[in-house]
Amino acid sequence: MISPDIQQRLVDIRRDIHQHPELSWQESRTAAKVCQALDEIGLPYRSNVGETGVVAEIAGRKKGPYIALRADMDALPIVEDTGLSFSSQVEGVMHACAHDGHTSMLLGAAMLLSKGEPPPLPVRLIFQPAEETVLGAKRLIDEGVLEDVAMIFGGHIDRHYPCGSLIVTEGAVNASSDKFSIEISGQGGHAARPHEAIDAVVVGSLLVISLQTIVSREINPAHPSVVSIGRFDAGTAGNVIAGHALLEGSIRAQDPEVRSDLHNSIRRIADSVAQLHDAGITVEIRKGPPPLINTDEMTALARKAALQTVDKDKVMKLFTANMGGEDFAYYLDHVPGCYIRYGAQIPGREGYPAHSSRFDFDEEALGIGATYLATVAREAASLVDS
Ligand code: NI
């Protein structure tokens, strides 16, 4: 168990960050807070890594390679409505995805790893900007944060699971998250003379319905996937046939092959509908993070650390597939690692998910997450040949 004074320190840090949330790439106050805490612990660090990131290092008994631990620091453009005494003081910005908690946890791990016996291998602490826009991890990788790193670990606070639990799951724990937009060019005209027009609303409507058949009719139902259209813009007046329409949507998959099948099917159906109605249709797919897949070996290691952190019955698995995206997946493209979830449910608040204006979590999870991260950093050394 973490000492009450460290737990209190983590709560204080979390609440301070919570009161001063910053959007992606603007995390300068948060980074300064991290640097201040690292100074107090006495750890060397580099700030302004990829704009606002902070990377600190803890010496190990051996020189290398490093075990990396990562937390994200950014908030969301949401007006907070929790009524908490430490609510956001920045209008329209809120820590509604617990990244305030993740930052505090990683500082807690730094405190624990700096006490007593040094870890077997050096530990690199990555305080990452811009997870919400899924651009931060890539940028930090370009900045070299994974150089000489053997493994990387991280996790997310999750209010679906009881506080005190650690959710350690093999396989896909986050989905790939890609965006697409489809432009439809028809021919505008008079509502009374449809034969002189190519109606972008009709073409777009057919396309929306046809795209629904990808997941329902083309993809193996054993592989979770989603194609959602969240935006359909067209038209200016009831008596005018729209010549142009714009669709925007999101594509999720847990399997890399399914992901590329979804992309191909969207393009094929769009081309077919264009031909069917003599319209122009262009598809743009913007790739986000790949699926986040925990390998068996790394998951076994994470589970071993989780079992040293909480009781056996509190080490759980995901109840259900998670189709959210997470840019931690980019790190796993380069080095092995594992991503877990920290149970942090507050009874009575289960109805307020992450990204809700009323989201909050049980702060007991901070000390538990910190202990897990410190433990996994020590345990990971056993898998590194040296
Ligand atoms: Ni998040």
Side-chain angles (χ1 to χ4, degrees):
M1 276 300 281
I2 202 155
S3 71
D5 56 315
I6 294 186
Q7 172 65 24
Q8 187 54 51
R9 181 93 185 91
L10 300 188
V11 169
D12 292 345
I13 291 170
R14 181 261 165 156
R15 291 185 180 194
D16 181 276
I17 294 173
H18 190 87
Q19 278 186 300
H20 303 97
E22 294 169 305
L23 295 174
S24 302
W25 300 123
Q26 297 171 23
E27 306 91 337
S28 49
R29 187 191 179 279
T30 310
K33 183 82 191 166
V34 167
C35 294
Q36 186 196 340
L38 293 168
D39 281 331
E40 283 168 22
I41 303 166
L43 288 176
Y45 58 83
R46 284 187 298 136
S47 54
N48 304 320
V49 182
E51 310 268 345
T52 43
V54 179
V55 178
E57 293 189 348
I58 302 170
R61 291 201 294 277
K62 287 186 189 155
K63 275 252 175 289
Y66 288 83
I67 306 301
L69 303 174
R70 171 276 207 172
D72 39 19
M73 301 193 290
D74 54 333
L76 287 157
I78 292 174
V79 178
E80 179 160 355
D81 185 26
T82 58
L84 293 168
S85 60
F86 53 90
S87 287
S88 170
Q89 293 178 3
V90 184
E91 182 63 21
V93 185
M94 176 189 175
H95 270 293
C97 198
H99 299 187
D100 49 345
H102 303 161
T103 303
S104 167
M105 267 180 194
L106 188 54
L107 287 168
M111 294 172 200
L112 296 173
L113 286 165
S114 305
K115 288 200 311 186
E117 178 94 339
L121 288 170
V123 178
R124 185 171 293 155
L125 309 166
I126 301 171
F127 295 90
Q128 181 205 303
E131 194 285 323
E132 295 294 355
T133 56
V134 299
L135 296 169
K138 260 182 161 169
R139 177 70 192 274
L140 291 199
I141 293 166
D142 290 344
E143 297 280 337
V145 302
L146 291 181
E147 268 166 37
D148 205 17
V149 164
M151 290 173 223
I152 186 163
F153 298 91
H156 206 293
I157 284 172
D158 194 324
R159 52 95 230 180
H160 292 96
Y161 298 88
C163 188
S165 60
L166 293 171
I167 320 309
V168 187
T169 314
E170 290 82 0
V173 294
N174 281 93
S176 57
S177 175
D178 306 321
K179 293 176 179 163
F180 67 95
S181 45
I182 300 179
E183 298 246 5
I184 300 162
S185 306
Q187 172 72 51
H190 197 294
R193 289 187 282 279
H195 58 290
E196 294 174 358
I198 298 171
D199 189 340
V201 168
V202 171
V203 176
S205 302
L206 182 65
L207 193 48
V208 170
I209 298 303
S210 303
L211 293 176
Q212 302 313 306
T213 63
I214 299 173
V215 172
S216 69
R217 302 292 85 183
E218 293 187 21
I219 302 295
N220 180 343
H223 295 297
S225 57
V226 179
V227 175
S228 287
I229 290 152
R231 183 174 178 203
F232 186 157
D233 260 5
T236 52
N239 61 351
V240 176
I241 288 174
H244 184 263
L246 172 69
L247 308 179
E248 287 182 345
S250 181
I251 310 163
R252 311 288 173 124
Q254 293 205 326
D255 180 288
E257 234 174 273
V258 170
R259 182 192 196 191
S260 77
D261 288 347
L262 294 173
H263 292 189
N264 293 339
S265 296
I266 289 172
R267 292 185 195 283
R268 190 195 76 241
I269 289 175
D271 286 349
S272 306
V273 169
Q275 202 185 9
L276 186 63
H277 288 289
D278 202 17
I281 299 186
T282 55
V283 178
E284 189 197 339
I285 297 175
R286 294 177 298 284
K287 276 188 161 185
L292 200 170
I293 297 167
N294 288 331
T295 62
D296 289 351
E297 188 188 28
M298 289 295 112
T299 310
L301 175 64
R303 186 168 291 123
K304 190 172 166 196
L307 286 166
Q308 291 175 37
T309 307
V310 297
D311 290 341
K312 201 172 165 202
D313 62 326
K314 292 286 177 62
V315 179
M316 303 159 74
K317 288 188 180 191
L318 283 176
F319 296 143
T320 184
N322 173 19
M323 301 309 285
E326 165 60 62
D327 81 353
F328 189 86
Y330 286 119
Y331 297 110
L332 297 189
D333 271 353
H334 298 265
V335 294
C338 187
Y339 195 75
I340 72 159
R341 304 190 86 79
Y342 315 106
Q345 191 169 81
I346 299 177
R349 290 189 82 98
E350 295 92 337
Y352 305 126
H355 295 210
S356 141
S357 62
R358 295 193 170 184
F359 173 79
D360 189 27
F361 62 86
D362 190 327
E363 290 170 325
E364 283 301 312
L366 298 175
I368 294 163
T371 307
Y372 161 77
L373 288 169
T375 308
V376 80
R378 288 182 185 278
E379 280 297 329
S382 65
L383 286 189
V384 178
D385 309 323
S386 51

